[in-house]
Amino acid sequence: MVTATRRLGVRHLGPNWYAAVMGTAAVATAGAGLPLHVPGLRTACTTVWALSLALLVTLLGARALHWAHHRDQARAHLLDPAMAPFYGCLSMALLAVGGGAVIVGEDWIGAGTAVALDAVLFTAGTAIGLAAALAVPYLMAVRHRIEPSQATPVWLLPLVAPMVSAALGPPLVPHLPPGQARETLLLACVAMFGLSLLATLLMLPLVFARLITGGPLPLALTPSLFLVLGPLGQSTTAVGAFADIAPGVVPAPYSEGFGMLAVLYGVPVMGFALLWFGLATAHVLRARRHGMRFAMTWWAFTFPVGTCVTGAAALARHTGLVVYDALAVGLYAVLVGAWAVAAVHTALGLFSGALLAGPVSAPVAPRPVTGRTTSGAVR
């Protein structure tokens, strides 16, 4: 009876749950990189990282049970255009925890163990991320039946995974033998940066067009608008990491070029990220007024914001401007608050069993009753 109950409990455990691991790891790594020194902050970040590692191990075990005992549901997730993109979250969860190991985890587990753990998780996460970036769009094209009105920021998830590899790979470069090995890993990260960036530039217009022409997203999906911040903040973080590592790894002209790229790319992209942050916040406030309740999509408030924290911190390092220090600290406060809210609601939902129950229909916010002339003017 107990075994049957456990099997039933993981039937509806989808890959979207890895977002909780990503968000928790983001609190740890973003906090450790803040341009300020607060007593006890690093210890707190290390504790949160340990929690993310425990969550990852637990979730990997639960998902293994899901695949072992509910293969029909697992296949249904792959064939569901609303759920399949979340397979990118598995990659990013592995990468986020692995990256946190060398940033803060080494304080507790030692530098050697931290590097080894990061190497394993980075390799696995990168392989899964590249596979998801290829397989999910392929399934969307040949197996899923998708209408333009179904476009959501969730579609970005498998495409962002390689960008996370690009941002978290450079800290491993100094641990490789000098010469070919270091340069190969660095340029592989640059290649994944380009892969993810160009794929995102193809997908993002579909999402924005859906938002403008189709109206607000369903209430439960509204927090997913924050997912757009992921590729923006993570790419800014990545170019900053390239600039940090490049000297001594690639020839001087290219290493200097990475330094310029960190600023010339990062500044305008962070500007667009702040614009989108405001737009997404406005939509979320509207959704709350219309009765938006907690769902696992609330974890979208965490990891993407965390990437903007690390992106702002990178710009602070490479420009020396205090305004980016303040931006990083302000965004981190938002991240911690969002993580606390999502974590508490998730714990309560698990305790009550509501989050592991079957899916329920999400209410859709009514659009204002307006008409448009043929010129596009609202009447």
Side-chain angles (χ1 to χ4, degrees):
M1 179 65 71
V2 174
T3 302
T5 301
R6 289 175 179 173
R7 291 177 182 176
L8 182 63
V10 299
R11 177 168 178 77
H12 299 289
L13 186 73
N16 57 319
W17 279 77
Y18 286 111
V21 179
M22 296 160 52
T24 303
V27 172
T29 55
L34 287 178
L36 52 79
H37 300 285
V38 177
L41 176 61
R42 186 171 179 87
T43 300
C45 290
T46 307
T47 303
V48 174
W49 172 80
L51 174 61
S52 73
L53 177 60
L55 289 174
L56 177 62
V57 173
T58 302
L59 193 51
L60 286 173
R63 286 286 294 164
L65 287 175
H66 175 82
W67 273 93
H69 300 294
H70 304 290
R71 293 183 183 179
D72 61 323
Q73 186 73 0
R75 293 191 188 97
H77 286 163
L78 281 172
L79 297 178
D80 182 357
M83 185 61 72
F86 284 101
Y87 274 90
C89 290
L90 168 58
S91 165
M92 292 185 279
L94 295 170
L95 292 165
V97 175
V102 296
I103 295 174
V104 292
E106 65 177 12
D107 292 356
W108 285 3
I109 64 177
T113 303
V115 171
L117 178 60
D118 187 19
V120 171
L121 294 180
F122 176 80
T123 301
T126 298
I128 293 170
L130 291 174
L134 176 63
V136 174
Y138 175 79
L139 287 173
M140 293 174 71
V142 304
R143 296 297 298 274
H144 300 163
R145 296 294 178 264
I146 298 174
E147 299 294 332
S149 61
Q150 294 176 289
T152 72
V154 171
W155 289 5
L156 294 170
L157 287 172
L159 306 179
V160 179
M163 187 66 79
V164 180
S165 292
L168 294 178
L172 285 173
V173 170
H175 299 284
L176 294 175
Q180 288 280 328
R182 291 185 179 182
E183 188 171 354
T184 298
L185 178 56
L186 177 58
L187 294 186
C189 291
V190 176
M192 288 187 285
F193 165 84
L195 177 162
S196 180
L197 177 63
L198 294 176
T200 298
L201 291 177
L202 290 175
M203 191 68 75
L204 187 55
L206 301 178
V207 175
F208 189 64
R210 154 64 182 86
L211 195 63
I212 296 299
T213 62
L217 295 175
L219 297 183
L221 280 176
T222 301
S224 70
L225 288 171
F226 276 79
L227 294 177
V228 175
L229 297 177
L232 303 175
Q234 199 68 278
S235 61
T236 304
T237 303
V239 293
F242 299 158
D244 293 337
I245 297 298
V249 176
V250 295
Y254 302 109
S255 62
E256 294 170 0
F258 279 122
M260 291 187 288
L261 179 65
V263 176
L264 296 181
Y265 174 89
V267 171
V269 170
M270 186 57 65
F272 179 67
L274 293 176
L275 171 66
W276 193 273
F277 183 93
L279 177 64
T281 300
H283 274 265
V284 168
L285 292 176
R286 175 189 180 278
R288 284 292 287 172
R289 291 196 302 270
H290 284 87
M292 181 184 74
R293 297 182 179 181
F294 175 76
M296 287 300 290
T297 50
W298 283 33
W299 284 99
F301 298 140
T302 58
F303 187 79
V305 176
T307 69
C308 291
V309 175
T310 55
L315 285 174
R317 292 196 307 272
H318 291 285
T319 65
L321 295 178
V322 177
V323 65
Y324 286 114
D325 290 334
L327 178 61
V329 173
L331 288 174
Y332 187 70
V334 174
L335 169 62
V336 172
W339 177 83
V341 171
V344 169
H345 279 82
T346 300
L348 293 175
L350 283 172
F351 182 77
S352 68
L355 287 180
L356 291 178
V360 296
S361 299
V364 179
R367 292 200 69 186
V369 181
T370 57
R372 291 180 184 267
T373 66
T374 55
S375 66
V378 177
R379 348 178 231 152

